[in-house]
Amino acid sequence: MHKIATTAAGIAAGVLGIGLALTPSAQAATPCPTGAVCIRETDGHILAKNIFWSFGPHNLSGVIGFHVIVNNQTNNAGFKVCKGYNGGAPCGPVNRWVGESQPSDLTTINSFVLVK
């Protein structure tokens, strides 16, 4: 009887181990490339159109709802968000922090301006 219980426990542990091995792991969010400012989609991906490299204004297209802004620029470069196109006012202050923001509603934001 002890042998049957031990075998059953071994099978249960093996099945549990297989179950854990087959369980999909959560995918990590797409990283923002070094030197860029990115807008991350709610599913964690960054669309190519939402990676901004060059200084100056960048108009947004189809960015509605909550998104994470990622500033991965170097040399203390910053960015500001503007309600007008082409960096038009009103604009927020220049942000020089590096990393990810809390999710923000970008529905009324029409452009980003990258600054040195």
Side-chain angles (χ1 to χ4, degrees):
M1 182 69 158
H2 182 268
K3 186 174 183 178
I4 293 172
T6 304
T7 303
I11 292 170
V15 169
L16 181 60
I18 291 169
L20 291 176
L22 298 177
T23 302
S25 61
Q27 291 186 2
T30 304
C32 181
T34 300
V37 172
C38 304
I39 299 172
R40 184 170 290 133
E41 297 295 311
T42 55
D43 66 1
H45 291 87
I46 298 173
L47 303 176
K49 72 176 187 171
N50 291 333
I51 301 174
F52 309 105
W53 296 94
S54 58
F55 295 114
H58 300 274
N59 292 325
L60 304 183
S61 176
V63 180
I64 298 171
F66 284 82
H67 293 76
V68 172
I69 301 169
V70 183
N71 184 11
N72 206 14
Q73 296 183 95
T74 57
N75 298 322
N76 202 35
F79 72 94
K80 59 184 176 178
V81 296
C82 301
K83 292 192 175 195
Y85 285 103
N86 298 316
C91 294
V94 173
N95 298 289
R96 296 194 184 277
W97 48 262
V98 175
E100 298 183 355
S101 71
Q102 293 294 318
S104 303
D105 187 359
L106 299 183
T107 302
T108 62
I109 303 301
N110 288 307
S111 62
F112 273 52
V113 180
L114 275 58
V115 297
K116 291 184 181 183

